[in-house]
């Protein structure tokens, strides 16, 4: 990453995130990071940058893997709370679970965007660790991750071990592989459309029979896309989704 690329990236992210902060009426927000915090991805001759808060990156890139190895019983059991407990054991953040949750869901995120010196779009994705923990309606002692990367990871495994609450077997080499898949799916692949003015969906070609459907929420005031969910589905279902979207007139892809 050159100094010129860094300055352009920093300015772009800061403007987007400040607009989001104003829209959400927050008193403060993380909006900028030093150059050494950036990771660069190069795809099809295009440059993309990933950067985030220290807690997000520590949990996402290191602590989840450590927690899986030390406390495998806390993953894949359908309860987000047990995942939070495991993470807090390998990286003690707070004594009280309520405070751990508050810390992990408040300004604990990363952003992904294309190099501003060459980008042909104005898009930026915000990857929260999770947006909320919601009680499951039929299991009052169990919770779901709502939104963010922890919700997405429920559909992936590391050497057959669940990366979050789910049990889908879909091996990736490391949690960071999700960032690469998101770049491929959101920025490069053309298999995408708006389902409505705030819901944008993309499809990752997993294998001959299945796609992985990515759903993003588009916040209009700031122009920030939030990762809402990911799930695997048969290609025949994908085709039906596209037909329904076309019938509603929501086939316009991002410029």
């Amino acid at each position: 990453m050159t100094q010129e690329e860094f300055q352009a990236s920093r300015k772009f992210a800061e403007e987007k995130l400040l607009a989001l902060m104003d829209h959400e009426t927050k008193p403060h927000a993380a909006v900028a990071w030093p150059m050494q915090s950036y990771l660069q991805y190069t795809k099809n001759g295009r440059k993309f940058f990933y950067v985030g808060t220290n807690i997000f990156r520590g949990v996402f890139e290191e602590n989840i893997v450590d927690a899986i190895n030390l406390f495998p019983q806390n993953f894949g059991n359908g309860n987000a709370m047990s995942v939070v407990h495991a993470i807090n054991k390998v990286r003690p953040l707070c004594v009280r679970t309520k405070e751990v949750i508050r810390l992990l869901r408040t300004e604990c995120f990363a952003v992904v965007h294309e190099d501003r010196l060459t980008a042909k779009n104005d898009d930026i994705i915000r990857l929260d660790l999770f947006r909320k923990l919601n009680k499951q309606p039929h299991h009052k002692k169990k919770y779901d991750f709502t939104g963010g990367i922890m919700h997405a990871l429920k559909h992936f495994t590391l050497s057959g071990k669940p990366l979050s609450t789910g049990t889908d077997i879909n091996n990736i080499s490391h949690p960071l592989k999700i960032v690469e898949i998101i770049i491929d799916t959101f920025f490069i692949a053309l298999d995408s459309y708006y389902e409505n003015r705030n819901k944008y969906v993309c499809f990752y070609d997993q294998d001959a029979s299945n796609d992985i459907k990515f759903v993003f929420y588009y916040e209009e005031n700031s122009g920030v896309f939030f990762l809402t969910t990911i799930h695997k589905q048969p290609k025949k279902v994908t085709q039906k989704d596209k037909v329904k979207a076309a019938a509603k007139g929501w086939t316009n892809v991002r410029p």
Side-chain angles (χ1 to χ4, degrees):
M1 187 182 204
T2 67
Q3 184 66 30
E4 190 178 10
E5 289 169 343
F6 167 65
Q7 293 296 343
S9 172
R10 184 185 178 98
K11 180 181 178 182
F12 172 72
E14 187 172 336
E15 290 176 351
K16 291 281 191 177
L17 295 173
L18 284 173
L20 180 64
M21 182 186 74
D22 289 343
H23 172 68
E24 295 182 336
T25 62
K26 290 183 176 179
H28 57 81
V31 299
W33 296 268
M35 185 189 292
Q36 59 266 30
S37 295
Y38 282 75
L39 288 184
Q40 177 179 312
Y41 291 81
T42 302
K43 292 283 182 178
N44 293 12
R46 297 161 64 182
K47 289 183 183 179
F48 301 88
F49 297 115
Y50 155 86
V51 65
T53 64
N54 290 336
I55 293 179
F56 176 94
R57 293 196 59 183
V59 171
F60 176 51
E61 298 174 26
E62 299 176 18
N63 305 142
I64 289 174
V65 177
D66 293 339
I68 289 168
N69 291 328
L70 290 171
F71 308 104
Q73 70 279 3
N74 285 51
F75 292 80
N77 62 14
N79 189 3
M81 194 66 74
S82 68
V83 173
V84 171
H85 284 310
I87 291 170
N88 197 49
K89 287 178 182 178
V90 299
R91 182 177 183 165
L93 296 166
C94 300
V95 174
R96 298 177 61 195
T97 302
K98 183 183 293 187
E99 291 304 307
V100 177
I101 294 168
R102 182 195 60 78
L103 180 64
L104 294 181
R105 67 177 291 269
T106 305
E107 293 303 304
C108 184
F109 69 97
V111 295
V112 181
H113 63 77
E114 192 165 2
D115 173 22
R116 302 319 304 158
L117 301 183
T118 56
K120 297 180 180 179
N121 59 64
D122 197 35
D123 298 331
I124 186 169
I125 300 172
R126 171 166 163 152
L127 303 173
D128 291 276
L129 201 60
F130 56 89
R131 295 293 282 179
K132 292 187 292 184
L133 282 186
N134 287 332
K135 283 186 178 180
Q136 296 179 13
H138 304 296
H139 300 277
K140 297 300 183 181
K141 293 184 179 181
K142 285 191 174 184
Y143 290 77
D144 288 321
F145 289 116
T146 299
I149 206 75
M150 294 307 301
H151 181 92
L153 286 177
K154 67 188 281 188
H155 302 290
F156 293 88
T157 46
L158 185 69
S159 301
K161 299 176 182 178
L163 278 161
S164 185
T165 58
T167 57
D168 291 1
I169 301 299
N170 186 17
N171 280 318
I172 54 177
S173 56
H174 187 275
L176 268 175
K177 179 67 177 179
I178 292 289
V179 177
E180 185 178 341
I181 292 173
I182 287 171
I183 289 171
D184 280 341
T185 307
F186 184 90
F187 290 101
I188 294 176
L190 299 177
D191 201 4
S192 55
Y193 56 83
Y194 282 97
E195 196 165 290
N196 57 50
R197 66 186 299 164
N198 299 113
K199 185 178 181 181
Y200 186 69
V201 298
C202 316
F203 298 93
Y204 179 74
D205 185 16
Q206 184 184 23
D207 54 43
S209 303
N210 298 294
D211 289 319
I212 297 178
K213 182 178 181 179
F214 287 73
V215 181
F216 296 88
Y217 172 77
Y218 177 63
E219 200 293 295
E220 297 175 276
N221 295 278
S222 60
V224 174
F225 287 85
F226 289 81
L227 177 63
T228 303
T229 186
I230 303 175
H231 64 265
K232 183 172 71 174
Q233 66 180 32
K235 289 188 181 295
K236 60 183 180 181
V237 176
T238 296
Q239 189 56 41
K240 289 180 181 178
D241 284 346
K242 293 176 182 177
V243 170
K244 289 179 182 177
K248 294 179 181 178
W250 289 108
T251 53
N252 51 315
V253 297
R254 299 183 344 271

